[in-house]
Amino acid sequence: MRRRAALTALAAAVIAGVAACAPSTPGSGGGSTGGSGGAAATADRLTIGTTADVVNFNPLVGNSRTDSWVTNLMYPHLTQMDETGKRIPYLATEWAYSKDGKTATVKLRDDMTWSDGKPVTAEDIVYTIDTVKKEKFGVVAGLITAYDKAEVVSPTEIEFKLTRPDGTFLHNIGFWMPIVPKHVFEKAPSVQKFANDKDWVSAGPYKLTKVERGQRYVMERVEKFGPAPSGTPGVKEIVFRVFPDVNTEVLALRNGDIDVIANVLPPATAVSLKGDSKIKMMEIPSLGWAHLQYNTKRKPLDDVRVRQALAHAVDYEAIRKIALQGFAKTSNSSVLTPSQPDYFDPTMKEYAFDVNKSKELLKQAGVTNLSLNMIYDQADPNIAKWAPMVRDSAKQAGIEIKLQGLERNTYIAKGSKRDFDIYAGSWAIMDNPPANMALAFKTGGFINYAQVEDPKLDDLIDQGQRALSPAEAKGPIQEAAKLIHEQVYDNVLYVETFNIAHSTKWTDFKPMPSELLSIVNPLSLAQAKPAP
Amino acid sequence: MRLKFIGVRLLRGLLTLWFAVTVTFFLVRLLPGDPVLAVADPNMTEELRAKLLADFGLDQPLMVQYLDYLRQLVQGNLGMSFRQSLPVTEVLMERLPWTLILTMSAMVATVVIGIPLGVLAATKARGWADRLIQIGGITAQSLFVPSVGIFLLYTLGVLLGWFPIGGAIDPDATGFAATLSMLHHLVLPCLSLVLIQLGSYVLTMRSTLMEALGDDYVALAKAKGVRPSAVVWKHAVRNALLPTTTIAGIQLGMLFGGAVLTETIYAYPGIGRAIYEAVGQMDFPVLQGAFVLLAAAVVAANLLTDIAYGFLDPRVRTA
């Protein structure tokens, strides 16, 4: 009897202990546990699944996908992208270049305010771009090398002075640069070290109200948000829930615990979900491409015939059909993909998979027993599937490719040091061919992994960058793409068709190209609504 | 005598902790890759790279970094997260309660289920129950957390709808409902950890109890006419429990290891997941901090086990 009492006391103590240990429980307003569950969806809450936490709430520093999804809803950009990749107004209403291309002017909306009531003005934009330039923040810093200084013409108008004509400047800052509140960020001694982890002052369609790391991020709509089609975002509350394992995330969607999966699903998972009547799959084009890059500084890869031999030893169609399960399109071996209608060149032809031609080219180059290493990120489910296919097809041409599937950080480090023969990877977003080509193929370019040094190509890219409109840039950029194709400075394998899944209880999402925008971009979430 | 015994164990614990801290410090720096690349764009300028390295203290010689870290640690400072620009203590303290709830409840459940099963197997040795328990025990030892996790989530979560899919608590629940929700979310991750651990408890208990049941004092108790259940539970089990207690100490470390995968599969917001994320982000301070905390927990648990042992069994105290 005494023992039973003791056991009961022990059990009670364990439960009480567990309860006492419980971290503070949130208690936000109504709605369901997570997604819409079995009931019909209401516009009260939309729950979005993601595979990672927000790492940094400072939009100028954070560089993960979840960082972008959350901070994009908090910090406006000058422009946004439509379904075709075209720039459309957001914070900016008009933009133009001067005739000499050395001055860019932007006019702003006058109805945007920060969440602390202060207006969003030209001062904020100037502060943001100057900070990016001064502290050299990642991608944006690399894209504004022509930027000299900015002048505030009025609270809603800015003039950017450029050191050289650059028709990609507005395109780049419009899309890539989130605007931060000067009056908040300037108080930080170093913006790079500013965590921005509480008391957020934002101006997007949603404001962040609660953070439970490892679990969820709760955002409430801003009742008056001019850029939303109806002036107010449709959904009252957006919740990002974190599922580090994509399989669990998919189960949560199937169970109704979440309404949307923000990240792109691997092709095999997408195929398995197609028959589920409760799930709608949306296909969005990638703005990037998957490719093989050959290190032109290493022998015998400095010989174009060897690079061509390698290009003819890849079975492109098999990769798209088998590894990507059909969720990929050809780009005709061109860096101007169909996702770029302003620049796409239909005359380009994909390298034929022809092992005899490959052998012949190697013979002409006097190369025998060719053996090369190929690095790739082993955690990338697509590349992990097609890397062995590249190896096997090359073997038919008598080329040995040694696969080096690496842990992501090692892969990035090796790529950055150009320590490889063949680099297998993919670009996530190549949204502006003149600017992208400058980074990827110009001598000394930031992401010139193949270490291309070709004065003719540099000149063509420069012409493209100086042009102030896509129509003007198209000629030299198409010429540049042809040169890249002939010289095999890049071997584009495919453009992926991304699969995004959401519950059929929701509708009216506005998909945009690239995983970074997906269907969780500000414009899409501002107009999404429960299905009738 | 008793104080000396505790003092020696305490000193040994501190030495173990220092060793764990040192190994971890150098081990994370052996990771291939560059932590600066995980923070900034891989194609940053040399100037920015140098600035970031200096900010992180990674521009100093390794020994200087190590001594600085030890100095910080003694002052209770685990440093700043590279990626989150937040104090590591803040990052980890948010996660620690969840890991403690998960691992402690798994440990209690494993002991509560494992010992009676071991006793049943030993007392019914070579019977069908024993065989079944042995097969189950050996199978459990070879289970892989992610497979078990997805299987349980799919069957008990999606198909039967008994448990939620991932997470640790219903955000809308308050008060007692929040506690119930937390326990509800805890069941599947806890069950996964129990399943992978149960085998060793059951099999150890079975073999030590079978040995104890053949000892003279058991024969004497039986000869004195003590009830068979009292012979088992009052005499034999008490002696057979000592090796099982040792396993509990060792298993604690494994339990924390299992928590990394369990928390990842079940989207459970504990330290295991913080480790998983920090490895990908090369966030050395968070990684080191998490390992220090876990090492301290294992050392403390072993210290308590040692001390408890000393009180329970005088032979240990004088050994």
Side-chain angles (χ1 to χ4, degrees), chain B residues 65-223:
Chain B
Q65 290 181 40
Y66 172 63
L67 291 175
D68 278 350
Y69 184 65
L70 285 187
R71 198 175 307 124
Q72 271 183 8
L73 207 58
V74 170
Q75 293 164 354
N77 178 2
L78 294 175
M80 292 287 283
S81 157
F82 288 169
R83 285 294 297 271
Q84 300 178 43
S85 314
L86 291 171
V88 171
T89 321
E90 196 180 308
V91 173
L92 295 179
M93 282 306 151
E94 207 174 358
R95 304 289 187 98
L96 186 64
W98 293 112
T99 297
L100 288 179
I101 289 170
L102 177 61
T103 49
M104 292 305 116
S105 53
M107 194 155 180
V108 169
T110 311
V111 171
V112 168
I113 300 167
I115 289 175
L117 279 179
V119 172
L120 181 67
T123 50
K124 308 280 180 194
R126 291 173 192 87
W128 65 267
D130 176 34
R131 294 215 166 96
L132 209 65
I133 290 170
Q134 279 196 71
I135 292 169
I138 292 164
T139 311
Q141 279 183 317
S142 51
L143 288 176
F144 183 48
V145 172
S147 322
V148 174
I150 293 296
F151 174 74
L152 292 177
L153 280 169
Y154 184 68
T155 51
L156 303 181
V158 177
L159 288 183
L160 297 170
W162 293 350
F163 296 101
I165 308 295
I169 196 164
D170 178 347
D172 299 327
T174 50
F176 187 61
T179 306
L180 284 182
S181 161
M182 197 191 66
L183 292 171
H184 193 204
H185 282 77
L186 184 64
V187 174
L188 292 186
C190 182
L191 182 59
S192 294
L193 281 179
V194 170
L195 281 176
I196 58 163
Q197 289 216 102
L198 199 58
S200 45
Y201 278 86
V202 173
L203 298 178
T204 308
M205 191 65 204
R206 178 188 176 272
S207 61
T208 49
L209 184 60
M210 279 176 71
E211 205 180 310
L213 286 171
D215 278 348
D216 291 347
Y217 67 89
V218 171
L220 180 65
K222 280 180 183 167

Side-chain angles (χ1 to χ4, degrees), chain A residues 3 14-15 18-19 21-34 45 52-56 61-64 67 135-139 190 192-195 197 210-216 241-245 247-249 251-252 254-255 257 407 409-410 412-414 416 418 445-449, chain B residues 32-34 37-45 47-48 51-52 55 82-86 90-91 94-95 97-98 100-101 105 108 150 153-154 157-159 161 163-175 178-179 182-183 185-186 233-234 263-269 273 276-277 279-282:
Chain A
R3 189 186 302 155
V14 169
I15 291 174
V18 166
C21 284
S24 60
T25 54
S28 62
S32 63
T33 301
R45 179 186 290 169
D53 268 277
V54 172
V55 181
N56 202 311
V61 177
N63 59 6
S64 79
D67 290 5
E135 299 207 23
K136 298 187 169 54
F137 288 110
V139 180
S190 157
Q192 178 83 47
K193 284 189 188 170
F194 179 44
D197 62 325
K210 195 173 292 165
V211 169
E212 294 162 50
R213 281 185 198 272
Q215 298 186 75
R216 57 183 65 81
R241 274 192 64 186
V242 190
F243 295 87
D245 187 272
N247 298 306
T248 314
E249 191 185 32
L251 290 181
R254 294 181 68 173
N255 208 39
D257 289 2
E407 182 275 327
N409 289 307
T410 315
I412 292 174
K414 272 192 176 273
S416 173
R418 318 302 195 229
F446 264 24
I447 49 174
N448 184 350
Y449 282 14
Chain B
D34 180 346
L37 287 177
V39 177
D41 192 84
N43 303 291
M44 74 196 99
T45 57
E47 195 187 345
L48 176 61
K51 182 176 169 288
L52 285 172
D55 285 350
F82 288 169
R83 285 294 297 271
Q84 300 178 43
S85 314
L86 291 171
E90 196 180 308
V91 173
E94 207 174 358
R95 304 289 187 98
W98 293 112
L100 288 179
I101 289 170
S105 53
V108 169
I150 293 296
L153 280 169
Y154 184 68
V158 177
L159 288 183
F163 296 101
I165 308 295
I169 196 164
D170 178 347
D172 299 327
T174 50
T179 306
M182 197 191 66
L183 292 171
H185 282 77
L186 184 64
W233 287 98
K234 272 194 171 174
E263 289 175 359
T264 303
I265 293 296
Y266 287 98
Y268 207 78
R273 244 178 77 193
Y276 172 81
E277 289 154 9
V279 168
Q281 297 161 357
M282 302 208 80

Side-chain angles (χ1 to χ4, degrees), chain A residues 347-412:
Chain A
T347 64
M348 299 287 278
K349 291 250 181 312
E350 187 164 75
Y351 303 115
F353 172 44
D354 184 343
V355 290
N356 291 327
K357 192 166 183 181
S358 190
K359 284 176 185 167
E360 180 57 36
L361 282 159
L362 285 180
K363 203 173 160 189
Q364 284 172 23
V367 173
T368 50
N369 299 325
L370 182 58
S371 175
L372 303 162
N373 71 49
M374 180 169 105
I375 65 164
Y376 64 97
D377 175 3
Q378 63 182 4
D380 185 316
N382 291 343
I383 301 184
K385 271 192 178 172
W386 57 251
M389 296 174 75
V390 170
R391 176 197 58 199
D392 296 344
S393 57
K395 199 175 174 186
Q396 293 178 44
I399 303 166
E400 183 191 29
I401 292 182
K402 293 179 200 152
L403 298 185
Q404 289 186 6
L406 304 170
E407 182 275 327
R408 180 157 179 78
N409 289 307
T410 315
Y411 168 73
I412 292 174

Side-chain angles (χ1 to χ4, degrees), chain A residues 33-73:
Chain A
T33 301
S36 314
T42 70
D44 284 346
R45 179 186 290 169
L46 175 76
T47 307
I48 302 169
T50 172
T51 51
D53 268 277
V54 172
V55 181
N56 202 311
F57 291 101
N58 182 339
L60 299 176
V61 177
N63 59 6
S64 79
R65 283 173 310 188
T66 311
D67 290 5
S68 300
W69 292 328
V70 171
T71 58
N72 277 349
L73 294 177

Side-chain angles (χ1 to χ4, degrees), chain A residues 81 84-87 143 166-169 171-172 175-176 286-289 334-345 427 429-442 447 457-458 460-467 469-482 484 490:
Chain A
M81 204 183 270
T84 63
K86 196 180 148 207
R87 299 298 191 265
L143 293 168
D166 183 359
T168 65
F169 175 76
H171 212 264
N172 287 333
F175 178 69
W176 288 103
S286 166
L287 279 177
W289 61 76
S334 169
V335 293
L336 298 176
T337 71
S339 304
Q340 293 294 343
D342 285 344
Y343 294 92
F344 182 61
D345 182 354
W427 296 132
I429 300 186
M430 292 302 225
D431 61 315
N432 184 345
N436 306 141
M437 280 188 181
L439 294 179
F441 303 108
K442 254 181 82 170
I447 49 174
L457 184 62
D458 289 353
L460 287 166
I461 296 171
D462 280 342
Q463 286 179 42
Q465 276 202 291
R466 280 196 299 271
S469 70
E472 207 184 314
K474 190 174 176 176
I477 289 302
Q478 285 191 341
E479 275 304 303
K482 272 183 192 148
I484 292 167
D490 198 359

